[in-house]
Amino acid sequence: MYKDLFRITRMALNNSSKLITVATLVFILVNQCHAQTKPNIVIIISDDHAYQSISAYGSKLMQTPNIDRIANEGVIFNKAYVTNSICGPSRATILTGKYSNKNGFKDNEHSTFDGSQDSFIKQLRASGYLTAWIGKWHLESQPQGFDYWQVLPGQGQYYNPDFLMMDGSKKQIEGYASNVIEDVSENWLDHRDKTKPFCLVIGHKATHRTWLPDTTDLGLFDKVTFPLPHDFYDQYVNREAAKIQDMTIAKTMLMGYDLKMFPDPESEDRESTINRMNAAQRKRMDAYYKPIYEDLKAKNLSGNALTEWKYQRYMRDYLSTATSLDRNIGRTLDYLDKHNLTKNTIVIYMSDQGFYLGEHGWFDKRWIYEESFRTAMVMRYPGRIKPGTKSSDFVLNLDIAPTVLDAAGVAIPKDMQGESMLPLFAKNKAKGRNVIYYHYYENGEHAVSPHFGIKTKRYKLIRFYTRVNNWELYDLQADPHEMNNIYGKKGYENLTRQLKAELNQQIDKFDDNDARQILINGKSII
């Protein structure tokens, strides 16, 4: 760059007919050089993608070579968590770097994101970045602070999805959602102002319910019989909130809506699932699912046999949907390689939260329990993060905003509650967190009781309220699957007092007076 600056300046000095002054050339080139030192940023957010299904995390269920590539060329976070395990609130936290009570988006039932508030996107744009969000948004208001956005309405559709456009129109694009979202993202990259650094957020619909695979991936796992999780038939002993939930594969998972088993070719369930498909797509779906349904009828299953059949179908559809997700993440990486962007682009992949793949007999998320609370997160930052790094530090989705601002050389706003993750990879490594705080607010779908709590390196303390008004305590070293609630048991009195004191400190730091009142008298805040 500086050789170019010298060469062009000398040419200008030797050519009196030049209309552009030397000073102007210097200004342009120095600013271009400065812009190129700022890293580009690509953040890929999936929906409900369980870390248990990612081979980089040791999963034997399937291979995810492209997510694994990011981990191998950067860092895998083995202790990544969310502050509120549900779709919209997680995205609001990622954008703002603030807990749900502070950014205002607490649940998917009553919340609308206030787009006028600050976000890392607005900070980046003000510092000269091009910014875009493409794909799933799910924040009940139009995006603000972006140079470009094209987002799915609500949860969006897997086939031939609609997109809300910046001019107020709605546009339908034929194809499968994961492929289409990647196509639109690459098109934006092709046509961007290439003199500026960029931040692109790619929001995938996959792997959200109803786990509808691309026709290319139908049947990928049909020859696999997945082992039942050891706690698949959990009886929820001494765990009152778990007893009253409504998210079991046995009772809650629907044969038509979720598993595509349609007793009537013209049934409402069938139409609501595939009515967006074109003739070719419908033909392939029917050719795949109809024989499965006929076989199910012939078997006439009931009881545990039917539950276990549902589990196998769920896993096959879920993992087939995840296959397309991983393939399109690979397309993003290939695009960066092809356009010589890899060396100066941060890539972060994460799910908006964890998800259950039959553990405790469940699907969905919401809980502070590990499979829901913990999330997949990998990050590649050439020159700053050593390839093959494995991190056991506590990190949160709360940390994405301050991390990318830190990388871009932008001051982190004081009201952001997250922390930059980059000091964890410095020569003189920063000390990580010893405790993390969580608060789930929604009191509706799946009957999961609102709750908050803390996790330390060894213990987890939980306070349930509204539906259930009680405490739970787990020794994660002795009981990593959280089956044995030791709250109130003899011998844990001192530990409980210490953890409650820590919980109080976390509420003082991150939450509000409503949570304080729950601690005192169990008053509901919903």
Side-chain angles (χ1 to χ4, degrees), residues 35-106:
Q36 291 181 350
T37 63
K38 288 180 174 288
N40 303 309
I41 301 161
V42 175
I43 303 172
I44 306 169
I45 306 173
S46 63
D47 200 307
D48 296 345
H49 193 196
Y51 66 86
Q52 310 94 285
S53 67
I54 297 173
S55 47
Y57 283 100
S59 176
K60 305 300 183 185
L61 298 173
M62 67 178 293
Q63 293 297 306
T64 50
N66 298 295
I67 296 172
D68 295 3
R69 179 186 168 189
I70 302 172
N72 293 334
E73 295 175 359
V75 58
I76 183 168
F77 293 98
N78 289 313
K79 298 290 184 181
Y81 292 85
V82 298
T83 61
N84 184 358
S85 182
I86 190 167
C87 311
S90 180
R91 285 167 176 74
T93 293
I94 291 168
L95 265 175
T96 63
K98 301 172 187 175
Y99 273 88
S100 300
N101 65 293
K102 194 165 185 179
N103 67 49
F105 201 100
K106 293 182 176 182

Side-chain angles (χ1 to χ4, degrees), residues 11 43 123 185 210 234 289 302 351-352 357 424 511 522:
M11 288 173 59
I43 303 172
Q123 291 287 329
S185 298
T210 59
D234 190 352
Y289 284 107
S302 62
S351 177
D352 55 2
L357 298 182
L424 299 175
D511 219 318

Side-chain angles (χ1 to χ4, degrees), residues 350-456:
M350 66 177 300
S351 177
D352 55 2
Q353 66 261 319
F355 208 70
Y356 287 96
L357 298 182
E359 299 88 358
H360 304 288
W362 294 338
F363 66 98
D364 210 68
K365 56 267 185 177
R366 303 169 193 269
W367 302 97
I368 194 175
Y369 305 139
E370 285 296 289
E371 294 86 355
S372 168
F373 185 19
R374 184 179 166 193
T375 194
M377 188 190 295
V378 294
M379 178 179 179
R380 186 178 75 184
Y381 190 174
R384 290 290 296 272
I385 297 178
K386 183 179 178 181
T389 299
K390 294 177 172 59
S391 171
S392 294
D393 289 299
F394 283 146
V395 296
L396 294 163
N397 58 348
L398 192 73
D399 299 332
I400 297 297
T403 298
V404 298
L405 292 180
D406 188 10
V410 178
I412 300 169
K414 292 182 179 179
D415 63 347
M416 281 191 176
Q417 296 173 298
E419 301 173 5
S420 172
M421 297 182 286
L422 297 186
L424 299 175
F425 310 104
K427 185 176 181 180
N428 297 317
K429 181 182 178 299
K431 183 180 179 181
R433 296 178 175 93
N434 291 317
V435 60
I436 49 178
Y437 179 70
Y438 177 89
H439 195 158
Y440 171 78
Y441 296 82
E442 189 167 303
N443 182 28
E445 189 174 3
H446 294 304
V448 174
S449 184
H451 58 283
F452 53 81
I454 56 169
K455 174 183 169 71
T456 69

